[in-house]
Amino acid sequence: MKRSTGQDRSITSKWRPATCAVRGGTWRSEQGETSEALFVNSGYSFEDAHTPAARFAGEEPGNTYGRTQNPTVQMLEERIALMEGAEACRVQASGMAAMSAVMLCQLSAGDHMVIARALFGPTRWVTDNLLPRFGIEVTPVDGRDLDAWKAAIQPNTKLFFFETPSNPTMDIVDIAAVCGLAREHGIVSVADNAMASPALQRPLDLGADVVAHSATKLMDGQGRVLAGAIAGSAEFINNTLLPFQRNTGPILSPFNAWVILKGLETLNLRANAQADNALTVGKFLEGRVPRLLHPGLPSHPQFELAQRQMSNCGSVFAFEIDGGRKAAHTFLDALELIDISNHFGDTKTLLCHNASTTHSSLSEETRLAMGVTQNLVRISVGLEDPQDLIEDLDQALVKAGL
Ligand SMILES: *Cc1c(COP(=O)(O)O)cnc(C)c1O
């Protein structure tokens, strides 16, 4: 019985990404189960009084309490670390728990942070409303503009944070250039990789220090559970993130970890098939709507950069239709197959009007600076036959008078 090869870096370091996705992190109990076991426990009991004393003192490895370790959660952490090419990973209760933890664990009053302005709505709430309350200054820049990143650096700049492709406007950040700049200045760079997933893009290989995730999206990919992840060097994960996470408690439940573990086994297949379908649907819409933002099509201003840093351009893209919010809502209401949903990365195709949902809490000014107009809709393409998706989009556009 190959009991814990998935936890042994001397073995897994030889495995290719597809193998890591299926077997990385696997640890078998003495029962010899093939599928990863679900350990539903919060506490641990000990053989003798010395054992917990040594573990609490950090002198011996081993479980102490469910807020710090759980075997199912640890299998997921090791699998994500291997898939991202990271030394270590810790998972959180949601993507937003991961985004806020990755900032709060390393920033203090008086620090400064530079962000790409096109970020997930709640991430902007954290940077715009929460961090300033604790004396942390944040400068948003156009993430596509390397000179803007450079100009925003101050002596107290500690962190660069971006997502690429950005949600929903599909801006591409040049990971190697921006993270190289950060490194030159001793600044930690964090990439939110939720839109691509490690199946399509590996920011650490391109020079990012830390990768943060909403595992709710492609990693689960079937609309079941929320989860987040942070991966990076063992030094960062164990000495900077872990003390914060252990004491504040945004941990992932074992059941949700188990669901994501099983999701990762098919991530490569799903992410690539959905990206292929998204390209087919994008090519149809390109001739049908006034403006399309798809990094996998040559009409995208950053097409070449996307080709360079992504192995496939993802399942999500955006497009504009004429007529503002009213026409957009009429179009959504006319869909027969595609669901109206703000979720993405799912096997089911989903469509969202971001200005009235995911980005509605932002000021009109912030929204427009990000390119989220009332004409914009975002599509997350799933695993259906792309021809059925095209026919549904076409008939809905006709019904909306477009
Ligand atoms: C969804 C999302 C998040 C937040 O993740 P949750 O799991 O919903 O909390 C953060 N960043 C990006 C890019 C996302 O798409």
Side-chain angles (χ1 to χ4, degrees):
M1 174 170 75
K2 291 183 179 52
R3 199 157 158 197
S4 61
T5 51
Q7 289 274 345
D8 183 345
R9 285 287 176 115
S10 72
I11 294 171
T12 58
S13 61
K14 293 181 285 198
W15 291 353
R16 290 163 184 83
T19 307
C20 291
V22 177
R23 290 182 174 271
T26 298
W27 173 87
R28 289 199 174 104
S29 78
E30 46 292 314
Q31 303 299 327
E33 65 280 354
T34 46
S35 176
E36 292 70 14
L38 174 53
F39 288 85
V40 184
N41 64 301
S42 52
Y44 299 92
S45 60
F46 308 96
E47 294 272 306
D48 50 44
H50 163 79
T51 302
R55 290 183 186 176
F56 274 86
E59 291 157 2
E60 282 177 17
N63 297 322
T64 53
Y65 185 54
R67 191 160 9 82
T68 310
Q69 314 96 348
N70 174 278
T72 307
V73 171
Q74 283 171 314
M75 285 192 259
L76 174 63
E77 290 171 336
E78 181 63 7
R79 185 167 294 175
I80 293 174
L82 291 170
M83 292 175 77
E84 286 287 2
E87 287 176 1
C89 170
R90 282 274 168 173
V91 291
Q92 294 77 30
S94 68
M96 281 321 302
M99 300 313 150
S100 45
V102 81
M103 294 177 195
L104 291 168
C105 77
Q106 56 182 320
L107 292 170
S108 305
D111 286 346
H112 174 246
M113 170 183 181
V114 187
I115 58 166
R117 67 188 177 201
L119 293 182
F120 188 65
T123 309
R124 280 301 299 261
W125 184 87
V126 173
T127 59
D128 296 9
N129 297 300
L130 183 66
L131 297 183
R133 277 172 32 202
F134 298 94
I136 298 158
E137 194 195 345
V138 181
T139 305
V141 299
D142 180 342
R144 298 165 296 186
D145 182 355
L146 187 63
D147 290 334
W149 288 97
K150 212 176 278 179
I153 295 173
Q154 303 176 5
N156 59 342
T157 306
K158 292 283 161 58
L159 199 64
F160 276 9
F161 186 100
F162 60 84
E163 60 184 68
T164 183
S166 73
N167 170 22
T169 50
M170 303 293 123
D171 291 353
I172 307 289
V173 174
D174 187 332
I175 301 174
V178 170
C179 297
L181 176 69
R183 191 149 297 180
E184 267 171 46
H185 290 82
I187 296 165
V188 176
S189 56
V190 179
D192 177 343
N193 200 26
M195 287 281 277
S197 89
L200 308 183
Q201 171 176 278
R202 299 220 310 179
L204 298 179
D205 292 348
L206 296 164
D209 293 313
V210 180
V211 172
H213 264 288
S214 169
T216 315
K217 308 295 165 51
L218 278 156
M219 287 187 173
D220 173 25
Q222 289 147 89
R224 299 168 297 190
V225 299
L226 285 110
I230 301 170
S233 68
E235 152 73 20
F236 176 79
I237 298 295
N238 296 330
N239 299 335
T240 303
L241 175 67
L242 185 56
F244 176 88
Q245 174 158 336
R246 181 161 48 201
N247 291 298
T248 58
I251 44 93
L252 185 63
S253 81
F255 177 74
N256 290 2
W258 182 82
V259 172
I260 304 286
L261 262 171
K262 305 319 285 177
L264 289 178
E265 294 178 8
T266 56
L267 176 66
N268 285 321
L269 291 175
R270 288 184 287 103
N272 281 291
Q274 289 176 225
D276 293 345
N277 286 350
L279 208 55
T280 306
V281 173
K283 282 177 186 160
F284 159 75
L285 282 171
E286 183 141 58
R288 188 73 175 77
V289 297
R291 186 152 173 263
L292 188 86
L293 298 163
H294 190 314
L297 290 171
S299 56
H300 190 282
Q302 296 171 292
F303 171 71
E304 270 155 37
L305 173 60
Q307 294 290 308
R308 211 162 57 231
Q309 68 184 22
M310 303 179 77
S311 61
N312 206 335
C313 277
S315 51
V316 180
F317 65 93
F319 55 97
E320 286 189 352
I321 54 181
D322 290 331
R325 177 177 178 149
K326 191 161 183 296
H329 280 197
T330 307
F331 167 59
L332 262 61
D333 289 342
L335 293 164
E336 292 171 352
L337 165 64
I338 298 169
D339 291 309
I340 301 169
S341 174
N342 51 296
H343 192 40
F344 71 82
D346 202 88
T347 53
K348 294 184 171 67
T349 299
L350 310 172
L351 214 138
C352 174
H353 181 245
N354 296 91
S356 56
T357 56
T358 54
H359 290 63
S360 60
S361 67
L362 302 175
S363 72
E364 187 73 4
E365 191 193 349
T366 307
R367 216 166 30 232
L368 290 178
M370 294 167 75
V372 182
T373 66
Q374 295 291 340
N375 288 348
L376 188 86
V377 293
R378 181 191 73 197
I379 185 165
S380 168
V381 179
L383 290 177
E384 302 94 336
D385 189 313
Q387 208 49 47
D388 288 329
L389 301 173
I390 287 170
E391 285 169 19
D392 192 33
L393 290 164
D394 191 41
Q395 66 81 25
L397 286 167
V398 169
K399 282 198 191 127
L402 299 160

